[in-house]
Each structure stands twice: as C-alpha cells, then as structure tokens.
Amino acid sequence: MTSQTTNKTLITETYPVPPFKKQTQPMPGLASKMDPRPDHGETSYRGTGKLTGRKALITGGDSGIGRAVAIAYAREGADVAINFLPEEEADAAEVVKLIEAEGRKAVAIPGDIRSEEFCQKLVDQAAEQLGGLDILVNNAGRQQFNESILTLSTEDFDATFKTNVYAMFWITKAALKYLPAGSSIINTSSVQAYQPSAILLDYAQTKASIVAFTKALAKQLGEKQIRVNAVAPGPYWTALQVSGGQPQEKVEKFGESAPLGRPGQPAEIAPLYVTFADVKNSFTSGQVWCSDGGTGTL
Ligand code: NAD
Ligand code: MG
C-alpha cells in the first residue's frame, strides 16, 4: 500500500496493563466480579460466516477464553452449547443472551465434569438440543497454585487431573458417536506444558498431557477426517487466575513479563479457535498454537 498506511496504527483496542488491583475470589471465580472486567469480544468481535450452520459444545463457556470462543462462534454463525459449574450460572446467563442476540441457538448445561456419568450426559444433551455436533472445545480447567509437592494433597492432584485430563477423555469419547467427517476437536493446553512454573506442578502436568492427547488423537482420527488441535495460551486475564490460580503478588503484576507488557484478553485468542474449527483449514491437525504475548514459548 502507500506510505500513508505505514504511519497509521492498526491497533484498534487498548487493553489494560499491570499493575492490577488486589483481588481474590473463591474458586470458580466469576468474570463479572473481576476488575477490570475481561474483554471477551462482547462489543468488538465481528463474524464473517466462517462457521455458518455449525454446532459447537464448549466446556467452561461461561467465562474467560471459553466465553470469548462462544461469542466468536455464534457471530461466525454456529449454534453453541456451553457447560459450566452451577455456581457460575450468572456468568453463563450473560453468554446465553449474547449467543441468542446473534439469532443462534444457545444451550446451557451446568454440571461438574469430574464425573464420567455427567460428561456422557453433557455430550448427549448438547447433541440432542443442538441437533448434532461438529465442533468440540475442551476448555474447562482447574488451576490452583501450591508452593510445594509436600503440601499438594492427593485430593487436589486428583481434582486437577479429573477436570483437565479425565474429563477431556470422557467428553471426547462420548462426542465421537456424533461427530461427522469434517468435525474439529480443539483442546486448551497452556504454555505451562512447555515452561512449567514451580507452583503449578499438578496443573502443568495436565497441560502437557493435553498436548500428547491432542497429537495422538489426531493420528487416530485422521481416517475419520476429524481434526484435533490445541491452543496454548500464555497469561490471559481471566477468573481462573484470580481465584487461586496465582498468588496475589502475581495477580497484581499479571502479564508484566510478556514482551507485549500485559496479559492477553480472552477476545484476543478466540480467533485461533475459529481458525481451527473452520473447514477451510482442513489440512491442519495435531498442532498446538501458542498465544503468549511474544515470549516465544513454542
Ligand atoms: P475461566 O475460569 O474463565 O474458565 C475456566 C472454566 O473451567 C470455568 O469457567 C469453569 O466453568 C470450568 N470448570 C472448572 N472446573 C470445572 C468442573 N469441575 N466442571 C465443569 N467446569 C469446570 O478461566 P480461563 O483462563 O478462561 O480458562 C480456560 C482454559 O484456559 C483452562 O483450561 C485454562 O487452564 C486455560 N489456560 C488459561 C490461561 C490463562 O492465563 N488464563 C493460560 C493457559 C491456559
Ligand atoms: Mg467461569
């Protein structure tokens, strides 16, 4: 283009930078109680019909990254089912309204994915109410920091693995009977899979498991023409981080060490999930796409 465009900024949104206010919430936190409230793309995401007629189930779709993906998918033309914990009903209700505002079908299914029985019901209900399923986003996650292996209890270790690893296995297995050729499975891993923090011993292991699951399953499901990919976020400003995910001093400086100097907002990562789901991207499977603000984790 001309030299005029070189002086023009392409940045259309300005996002919050640290330091952030002190804040903690009980787990699971609510996006609506965060200060500043995360940007999930409520007023900014514009779709171009990339997912017209598609049917998606998103776990943890009430807040954070899952909510941003739900908004983006609805604006790209998909009907969307979200799962969340019963305590998160208020956040989920906002997402349902946003999906319906696009003229898309919204299905809200509360429940705890640490139960295999619930995971099966979740998938059946989502597929029944959406009239099928062709996108599965395994995004729900548990992150509770713990300073030492000596204070990390078996119960905590178990809860983190049940939520982050077992549930993904159960939900994916249950979803396979519905997913036609051309479907897409997208899992949320983390930079923690590659650069684990000392205080996230259990969580980091689950996120590494998600990478291996994604790559192995992509090999299994290739013959069914189902693609399996993962997104690996760096620091994103979400309820997970302020409800036991990080110690208070890290919350206040959250995102400071990223070269972009701030945490990402959920709206900034949703486009990656759209791209993985898009059938135009039909030869990409078994991949992990990292979004870490410039650290270069992958
Ligand atoms: P979030 O708290 O907004 O979303 C996590 C969701 O997980 C919750 O909304 C909740 O609905 C769900 N969840 C947790 N335990 C559950 C259970 N037992 N049953 C059902 N649902 C349950 O936070 P987020 O940061 O948007 O997290 C989404 C994903 O992103 C997680 O997998 C997280 O590990 C991953 N991630 C986040 C970051 C970050 O910096 N925020 C970085 C890397 C990876
Ligand atoms: Mg939530």
Side-chain angles (χ1 to χ4, degrees):
M1 296 276 277
T2 64
S3 58
Q4 275 180 325
T5 50
T6 49
N7 291 329
K8 195 173 121 189
T9 180
L10 296 172
I11 296 173
T12 54
E13 306 285 337
T14 52
Y15 289 116
V17 295
F20 295 105
K21 287 187 188 144
K22 281 191 196 323
Q23 54 197 293
T24 52
Q25 295 186 39
M27 180 186 64
L30 291 179
S32 56
K33 291 196 173 156
M34 290 180 71
D35 182 10
R37 277 191 69 145
D39 180 358
H40 306 93
E42 286 90 341
T43 59
S44 58
Y45 192 91
R46 285 192 190 16
T48 54
K50 288 194 183 86
L51 306 178
T52 302
R54 303 286 298 275
K55 297 168 191 309
L57 168 61
I58 305 168
T59 62
D62 58 300
S63 59
I65 294 168
R67 180 194 290 213
V69 175
I71 292 169
Y73 280 9
R75 292 192 184 160
E76 294 289 355
D79 293 330
V80 181
I82 59 167
N83 161 249
F84 48 89
L85 285 163
E87 306 93 288
E88 299 174 302
E89 197 74 57
D91 271 0
E94 291 183 4
V95 179
V96 165
K97 265 197 200 156
L98 286 158
I99 296 168
E100 288 177 346
E102 300 306 314
R104 307 313 317 170
K105 181 157 194 178
V107 179
I109 310 173
D112 191 329
I113 59 171
R114 287 173 299 173
S115 150
E116 180 171 11
E117 198 190 338
F118 172 71
C119 286
Q120 288 164 351
K121 276 193 205 144
L122 165 65
V123 172
D124 289 341
Q125 274 182 33
E128 263 164 40
Q129 293 184 47
L130 293 174
L133 195 63
D134 55 40
I135 303 172
L136 170 63
V137 180
N138 287 305
N139 166 75
R142 178 186 195 272
Q143 177 186 326
Q144 292 289 293
F145 81 89
N146 199 307
E147 303 286 349
S148 164
I149 188 171
L150 298 176
T151 53
L152 182 62
S153 68
T154 300
E155 289 71 28
D156 273 329
F157 189 88
D158 192 55
T160 306
F161 270 80
K162 285 271 160 52
T163 311
N164 300 3
V165 177
Y166 280 69
M168 175 183 63
F169 165 61
W170 291 327
I171 291 169
T172 304
K173 207 168 167 174
L176 276 175
K177 65 174 177 284
Y178 298 107
L179 299 177
S183 294
S184 187
I185 299 170
I186 304 156
N187 304 316
T188 303
S189 176
S190 168
V191 294
Q192 288 292 322
Y194 304 92
Q195 298 290 341
S197 300
I199 60 170
L200 296 175
L201 185 69
D202 55 339
Y203 176 82
Q205 290 178 77
T206 66
K207 293 294 160 176
S209 290
I210 292 170
V211 170
F213 178 87
T214 299
K215 288 174 180 276
L217 195 67
K219 289 179 180 160
Q220 271 191 28
L221 299 186
E223 64 181 16
K224 291 186 187 295
Q225 304 299 314
I226 296 174
R227 297 180 297 109
V228 190
N229 292 289
V231 175
Y236 270 84
W237 185 246
T238 70
L240 185 88
Q241 303 294 357
V242 301
S243 57
Q246 300 289 345
Q248 191 55 236
E249 63 278 12
K250 292 221 171 141
V251 168
E252 287 167 47
K253 292 183 189 165
F254 197 62
E256 190 183 63
S257 61
L260 287 173
R262 60 174 180 85
Q265 294 294 323
E268 299 179 272
I269 202 166
L272 274 53
Y273 290 79
V274 170
T275 300
F276 273 146
D278 187 349
V279 285
K280 289 252 163 56
N281 194 11
S282 46
F283 203 58
T284 300
S285 192
Q287 301 302 308
V288 184
W289 197 347
C290 183
S291 167
D292 64 5
T295 302
T297 310
L298 278 186

